[in-house]
Amino acid sequence: KNQVEQSPQSLIILEGKNCTLQCNYTVSPFSNLRWYKQDTGRGPVSLTIMTFSENTKSNGRYTATLDADTKQSSLHITASQLSDSASYICVVSPNSNYQLIWGAGTKLIIKP
Amino acid sequence: NAGVTQTPKFQVLKTGQSMTLQCAQDMNHEYMSWYRQDPGMGLRLIHYSVGAGITDQGEVPNGYNVSRSTTEDFPLRLLSAAPSQTSVYFCASRYRDRGHYEQYFGPGTRLTVT
């Protein structure tokens, strides 16, 4: 069964610290993997997208990695800011353009 | 561009009532979709449309209807609301860019069915 699992469910860190969020998937075949940021009360916004041949992609202080062999991805946030408080969602797409497998997300809270 | 807009932002319904959630986009995207988001779960696709006049069912279509008479609008109708339809509903539109799609979400509608 196609599944995307994220860990941890929630995470609290101090402002300025780094953190890493995990995503494991069992989706097959595989087309691409995205990370979304969802602020409270808002819709998700795309942060990065990686295909099978890419193993790292950066967007400012956000760096996503992909290991297609182990079917794992991580999102590393450097020098966290209060505005990074949000849910981060991993989404995997099989070959179909219209099918997306969504993870439940990691809720990240940054404390001053 | 306003992007993807949704109305209303909040709604409370009684069981058995019907209503329409509105969604509009001004980016001329062919593909639009509706999702629901429930606590502890990933977004689930309700219905989608690949262009005006074309709609199809997603993962959880029961209890919902859609139509796409124009490129801009994609309303979602709840036929007879049930407490299980209490959720946050997101409308999205997308387009293909350099081999990948880019998807844009509306701000969501929080629906409570009592």
Side-chain angles (χ1 to χ4, degrees):
Chain A
K1 180 182 177 184
N2 287 336
Q3 280 187 319
V4 175
E5 295 188 352
Q6 294 187 241
S7 62
Q9 270 191 317
S10 62
L11 181 63
I12 302 174
I13 64 172
L14 292 175
E15 185 180 10
K17 298 296 187 182
N18 304 336
C19 67
T20 300
L21 313 180
Q22 301 290 344
C23 172
N24 295 339
Y25 62 92
T26 57
V27 177
S28 183
F30 172 87
S31 176
N32 59 69
L33 183 147
R34 288 176 179 272
W35 283 93
Y36 282 88
K37 179 186 180 189
Q38 184 177 21
D39 292 318
T40 300
R42 308 288 292 272
V45 174
S46 181
L47 288 175
T48 65
I49 177 172
M50 289 179 291
T51 61
F52 184 88
S53 59
E54 297 171 299
N55 56 20
T56 187
K57 185 72 71 77
S58 290
N59 179 356
R61 295 179 296 101
Y62 301 102
T63 300
T65 64
L66 173 65
D67 185 334
D69 291 333
T70 62
K71 299 188 176 182
Q72 295 179 323
S73 177
S74 65
L75 181 69
H76 185 74
I77 304 174
T78 303
S80 60
Q81 300 176 357
L82 296 179
S83 59
D84 292 331
S85 292
S87 288
Y88 292 84
I89 306 174
C90 176
V91 185
V92 180
S93 177
N95 284 337
S96 165
N97 280 337
Y98 304 132
Q99 187 181 13
L100 302 173
I101 313 300
W102 291 76
T106 292
K107 186 175 176 65
L108 176 65
I109 298 172
I110 310 297
K111 287 192 175 273
Chain B
N1 286 352
V4 180
T5 58
Q6 291 183 238
T7 57
K9 195 157 178 64
F10 301 95
Q11 182 70 49
V12 179
L13 290 178
K14 294 187 187 304
T15 297
Q17 288 183 317
S18 63
M19 79 159 294
T20 299
L21 306 185
Q22 301 292 344
C23 174
Q25 54 96 4
D26 60 359
M27 297 173 283
N28 202 34
H29 293 167
E30 291 295 326
Y31 181 91
M32 296 184 73
S33 55
W34 276 101
Y35 292 90
R36 60 179 288 173
Q37 186 174 38
D38 300 296
M41 300 180 69
L43 269 72
R44 291 184 291 170
L45 182 66
I46 304 172
H47 285 285
Y48 65 94
S49 168
V50 299
I54 306 170
T55 63
D56 207 346
Q57 296 181 348
E59 183 185 353
V60 288
N62 292 343
Y64 308 95
N65 272 358
V66 292
S67 60
R68 186 92 180 271
S69 56
T70 66
T71 298
E72 294 77 20
D73 299 300
F74 190 42
L76 177 73
R77 280 182 289 279
L78 278 70
L79 309 172
S80 177
S84 60
Q85 294 178 305
T86 293
S87 188
V88 181
Y89 291 85
F90 289 100
C91 179
S93 72
R94 75 185 194 190
Y95 73 103
R96 282 194 82 83
D97 178 33
R98 291 168 291 176
H100 304 305
Y101 64 85
E102 288 292 343
Q103 185 157 241
Y104 296 89
F105 285 85
T109 294
R110 183 174 292 275
L111 176 67
T112 302
V113 182
T114 61

